[in-house]
Amino acid sequence: MLHTVNKSPHDSSSLRTCLSLAKPGSDLLLIEDGVYGALSGSIHSDTIAERLNSVTIYALGPDLKARGISEDRLISGIKVTGYDGFVELASGNDKVQSWL
Amino acid sequence: MLHTVNKSPHDSSSLRTCLSLAKPGSDLLLIEDGVYGALSGSIHSDTIAERLNSVTIYALGPDLKARGISEDRLISGIKVTGYDGFVELASGNDKVQSWL
Amino acid sequence: MKFSVMVNEGPYTHQAADTAYHFIDAALRAGHEVFRVFFYHDGVNNGTRMTTPPQDDRNIVNRWSALAVEYDLDLVLCVAAAQRRGILDADEAKRNGKDGDNIAPGFRISGLGQLIEAGIQSDRVVVFGG
Amino acid sequence: MKFSVMVNEGPYTHQAADTAYHFIDAALRAGHEVFRVFFYHDGVNNGTRMTTPPQDDRNIVNRWSALAVEYDLDLVLCVAAAQRRGILDADEAKRNGKDGDNIAPGFRISGLGQLIEAGIQSDRVVVFGG
Amino acid sequence: MSETKKFMYVNRHAPYGTVYALEGLEVVLIGAAFEQDVSMAFIGDGVFQLKQGQDTADSDMKNFSPAYRALGDYEVNCLYVERESLEERGLNEDDLMPLTWEDEDDDWAEKKSIHIVSRAQLSDLLEEQDVILNF
Amino acid sequence: MSETKKFMYVNRHAPYGTVYALEGLEVVLIGAAFEQDVSMAFIGDGVFQLKQGQDTADSDMKNFSPAYRALGDYEVNCLYVERESLEERGLNEDDLMPLTWEDEDDDWAEKKSIHIVSRAQLSDLLEEQDVILNF
């Protein structure tokens, strides 16, 4: 199952709710303002990093770039992908849950 | 100064940010989904109740009623007012800061 | 006291348009003046006459238009925000080469300067948004 | 693989309309089929031809219309959501007694059943929203 | 359409502040005609949609809470409410509207539509679905 | 208009995800012509508006970050950024665009427009305003 989160973890409960319900083995793609959840050194980084052993976390590259976030600022283990990768994740998983 | 908060404290950071910046003596009016912040027994209730000695907190009655929240469910010390009271708070304070 | 109000969200989608209306209505009934209501962001969607809400629901657009008549209210849609969202009066339609307009009675389209002026001229500015 | 997409926010106001567009574009370029794009909530505002964005910005409405032509895409605006927000085609205008319509080329207005049908007929439904 | 899919409508927004709850419910009511295997989940502030005693007389909005009571007649009778979301908000099951449906296969016995489930159970339910629509 | 008022534009939204940052900036640029006493505050996710290195080439949105650099020319040169908001987000002052203005009263010396302030200082600044507009 692919989960997407499009809201900042600082402003919205979406990422927290997503992580509370995502099963081990799930994929999570951070998009739009959701990519702020991929930043290292924030008050949410540790919580997110802890889930990387059970959930594969991606961040959408074009959205990171728009927001001026270079890949060296990401939590270690988070993968960067593009719109093509988003389509592959959506087709490779059996369904998509969007945490709006 | 009158502060207004129109978002649920469970979904948004608005109330937390408001309380971090509101000075003692301020008025705070909870409106729209912000009135959920007035409910007693929630995980945010204690934090909000602690501020009642320095900030006067109101909740908009028509919005409580729409959401099925009766006054006996509110954190003790929170006052209920209507649209007329909102206008009085806005005119009685020197300015209004809306935490959208 | 002289109020101005800023409305930043569209009708039905967010309650902000309702709260702004009831606040203004209460202020006017209490004898206050409302210098201007400025609609910004999706707030400009309050000003289209093409809206047809379900019959058992309130008609937010008509409610604004009626209030404008009753109290001679100045309801201003921001032109830049309106262009992004497809809200036009006859002048704007002509200027942008569009084949029709959709502004509701009682509203006018003008620039952001109207908001700043409202801030300067009014005793209080109250912002309603999402 | 057969995708359907739901778009729940208006253009410019939320990035969801951009992300949905780029997702669909990438899916089509990868050879997937897109059965339907269903616009709900403020998403119906993607389908008005009255929009005039600044010249240095993308034109989100025209971008949808062009994609519809290129790939014969089915772009559906929910009728109930469109009525609340003042988006009309000629039939809806006549039915609701309005003096004009504003739907953009390549879009059509239909009922919520089109969304459920898309869920039944498609391998994946992806929701983009605010 | 011969295929039957498992549809879940996931509700995460409070009513009235935004339109998502109302327009989400409209999808469920229309969708009921398609004879799919339908359920609803209420997570986070979505649990507030089911609060008893909603009364919009003073705010002049449309009170759409009675429509939840009609869900049983549309054969939408699996409403899963996350227990942790209720507790975090100071609510319990008694705060929710008593929604019921009549079971045709059990001599039209009246049964509860609302099921309070744990976070772990809800996580399992999400995995079982074919189509998830989010409101 | 003879009166001069203290206007503060309070920015609490990240750029691009929603339009508030862009349309808020448009208000500030237009407002500059009115010769009021203007400042901007960046709180919460609003601090992301000032992040260096924004590049929208791959997402095809309008990159409006260069407009912040023009603020100095419009005599908008008091941008207050809440230190706690930066820290909570893993950012520091070096992550922000180096915005400057030229001080006419000091032989056109180039000065910083961004002031990192504490939560307590920002709270004081809010109290001093006549008009607060929120984006």
Side-chain angles (χ1 to χ4, degrees), chain C residues 6 8-9 40-41 80-81 84-85 112-113 115-117 119-122 125 127 130, chain F residues 1 3 5 7 9 19-20 22-24 26-27 30-31 34 36 131-135:
Chain C
M6 185 175 181
N8 289 341
E9 294 290 342
Y40 198 46
H41 304 310
R84 278 200 188 90
R85 292 164 181 85
L112 278 167
L115 171 63
I116 310 298
E117 194 205 4
I120 294 169
Q121 298 292 338
S122 307
V125 177
V127 182
Chain F
M1 281 168 256
E3 208 181 344
K5 286 189 172 183
F7 274 69
Y9 302 98
V19 82
Y20 302 107
L22 165 61
E23 292 193 331
E26 289 180 349
V27 174
I30 296 286
F34 284 76
Q36 303 293 305
V131 180
I132 304 175
L133 296 176
N134 311 276
F135 297 103

Side-chain angles (χ1 to χ4, degrees), chain F residues 68-83:
Chain F
Y68 292 94
R69 297 177 191 271
L71 286 169
D73 301 334
Y74 285 83
E75 295 182 48
V76 178
N77 46 39
C78 286
L79 280 67
Y80 300 108
V81 177
E82 195 195 67
R83 183 186 311 280

Side-chain angles (χ1 to χ4, degrees), chain F residues 34-79:
Chain F
F34 284 76
E35 304 197 344
Q36 303 293 305
D37 184 357
V38 168
S39 64
M40 299 175 77
F42 296 86
I43 306 174
D45 282 350
V47 303
F48 287 128
Q49 294 182 24
L50 302 174
K51 179 77 181 66
Q52 285 218 43
Q54 298 174 31
D55 176 356
T56 59
D58 294 349
S59 49
D60 195 28
M61 292 180 291
K62 177 173 169 176
N63 183 352
F64 59 100
S65 64
Y68 292 94
R69 297 177 191 271
L71 286 169
D73 301 334
Y74 285 83
E75 295 182 48
V76 178
N77 46 39
C78 286
L79 280 67

